[in-house]
Amino acid sequence: MPETFIFSSESVGEGHPDKVSDSISDAILDACLEQDPHSRVACETLVKSNCVTIAGEITTSSKFDYEGVVREAIREIGYINDDDIFHADKVFVTNQLTAQSRDIGQGVDANAAEGKGTAEQGAGDQGIMFGYACNETEELMPAPVMFAHLILRKMADVRKNSSEAPWLRPDCKSQVALKYEHGEMVGIENVVVSTQHAEAADNETIRSFIIEEIIKPTLPSNLLSSETEYLINPTGRFVVGGPEGDSGLTGRKIIVDTYGGWGRHGGGAFSGKDPSKVDRSAAYMCRWVAKNVVAAGLADRAELQVAYAIGHPHPTSITIDCFGTEKVEESKIQESVHHVFNFKPAEIVSQLDLLRPIYRSTTHYGHFGKADLPWEQTNKTEDLKAAIS
């Protein structure tokens, strides 16, 4: 990158149509795992107007009210206002879930496609996955996407737990443009926020509240200045939102879910997939490894890539890139990663304890940078340093 540049990342709120779909898919996944930890789930959700369609493949012994789970997920988001077309208690739910294909299942369960004598879990699909970490925030995440998430977290807290802004509605988006010089953050160029609102709210009230009560108390004051530009509801009106205003689909916010465009992405979505799907579990694994590399002081930035073949129990490749910020030879970091971590799909699930109903907490404001998630733990730093030495 040049010595001076501006980088922007966005986030979307819980009521964004795509995030509504992600929420429903992850709620169904957790409902399956609560009763049957070995459930195989690939649940996609489509939302539009007052309709919800869930489709995909699920193999589980769990018994629960799918429609009830859908409605509760919508209720938690906040689509419960009298004037909501898309309303938790009024949507029409269509269920098109079927059992997982046996052809996929046999390869994942026991490597049967290769005729192995010992049963060993293979990858649920082929593909490439990335994980990234850097030392510019406390969470070891890129600052632009973390700042964008913080804005919407604050807005959701106000909307759900305060009477300060009764006009706030669930659908919203944020975007933060951060200026860098010589690799260091020097200022926020602009902040964009679009929020759905009640009919009676005027634009000046919205603009003043978002700037003074949301953005300024949330973002680092040393990065905000008189030069920072605020673009609040730039069209001037945002009353019709959510699935009433646009369709939503599971897995369409993969950059918001990861690194805001800063780190690379393999293309696979997360929500609605159980951890046998390496699109999800291996991406979490890569983040865990990259974060521990940075937390151990081995590099200022680290990006890990792994690749898998469906039904095969070993990754087909593993590589790490520290972008010239490594403190020891990159080859030694890679050797230590191989020594400390096991990238077999079954071992990923075991190391991160993924057969639990923890996925609803991942859906909103990124799957990374949340301290309570297992792949965010920096519990392998000493092992990595020992392996290096």
Side-chain angles (χ1 to χ4, degrees), residues 84-105:
D84 287 335
I85 298 298
F86 186 83
H87 190 289
D89 298 326
K90 301 174 185 176
V91 294
F92 295 92
V93 181
T94 302
N95 186 342
Q96 296 188 10
L97 294 165
T98 61
Q100 184 186 51
S101 162
R102 291 182 180 179
D103 293 344
I104 295 174

Side-chain angles (χ1 to χ4, degrees), residues 21-225:
S21 296
D22 286 344
S23 299
I24 292 170
S25 293
D26 277 334
I28 288 173
L29 169 62
D30 275 359
C32 290
L33 294 176
E34 283 174 3
Q35 299 179 38
D36 179 6
H38 299 286
S39 298
R40 291 290 161 77
V41 181
C43 179
E44 311 292 342
T45 303
L46 168 68
V47 296
K48 177 56 186 161
S49 299
N50 63 343
C51 297
V52 177
T53 299
I54 51 176
E57 300 77 45
I58 294 183
T59 299
T60 183
S61 62
S62 300
K63 305 293 183 184
F64 59 90
D65 178 7
Y66 282 84
E67 184 173 318
V69 169
V70 170
R71 296 187 187 281
E72 182 57 30
I74 298 170
R75 186 173 293 108
E76 287 185 8
I77 291 168
Y79 282 114
I80 52 175
N81 299 289
D82 291 340
D83 57 350
D84 287 335
I85 298 298
F86 186 83
H87 190 289
D89 298 326
K90 301 174 185 176
V91 294
F92 295 92
V93 181
T94 302
N95 186 342
Q96 296 188 10
L97 294 165
T98 61
Q100 184 186 51
S101 162
R102 291 182 180 179
D103 293 344
I104 295 174
Q106 70 171 1
V108 175
D109 291 334
N111 222 9
E114 294 187 3
K116 301 293 184 182
T118 303
E120 191 168 11
Q121 180 179 324
D125 202 352
Q126 75 170 52
I128 57 174
M129 299 85 206
F130 288 92
Y132 180 83
C134 61
N135 62 3
E136 66 182 39
T137 64
E138 179 182 348
E139 299 86 358
L140 302 186
M141 284 283 288
V145 72
M146 288 306 298
F147 292 169
H149 290 325
L150 286 172
I151 291 169
L152 297 191
R153 278 179 175 272
K154 176 68 172 177
M155 287 173 60
D157 181 59
V158 169
R159 176 171 59 83
K160 294 180 177 183
N161 303 312
S162 167
S163 59
E164 292 179 77
W167 42 265
L168 277 173
R169 293 294 183 264
D171 193 0
C172 52
K173 301 177 78 171
S174 65
Q175 185 172 285
V176 176
L178 197 56
K179 185 176 182 179
Y180 291 80
E181 291 181 357
H182 307 289
E184 299 293 328
M185 298 178 288
V186 297
I188 295 174
E189 284 287 303
N190 56 67
V191 182
V192 183
V193 175
S194 294
T195 181
Q196 184 186 14
H197 57 86
E199 178 81 43
D202 65 272
N203 202 46
E204 188 50 45
T205 297
I206 296 168
R207 176 181 171 80
S208 175
F209 184 85
I210 296 298
I211 294 173
E212 300 300 330
E213 305 301 328
I214 301 293
I215 296 173
K216 288 184 177 179
T218 301
L219 300 187
S221 58
N222 63 307
L223 296 177
L224 296 170
S225 71

Side-chain angles (χ1 to χ4, degrees), residues 291-312:
K291 187 172 183 180
N292 274 271
V293 167
V294 173
L298 303 180
D300 294 337
R301 298 166 58 196
E303 184 176 73
L304 198 80
Q305 188 216 47
V306 298
Y308 291 91
I310 189 169
H312 191 65

Side-chain angles (χ1 to χ4, degrees), residues 272-303:
K273 297 177 181 177
D274 75 85
S276 74
K277 280 73 171 175
V278 285
D279 275 345
R280 186 169 209 164
S281 57
Y284 292 167
M285 180 71 179
C286 288
R287 163 64 178 170
W288 185 40
V289 175
K291 187 172 183 180
N292 274 271
V293 167
V294 173
L298 303 180
D300 294 337
R301 298 166 58 196
E303 184 176 73

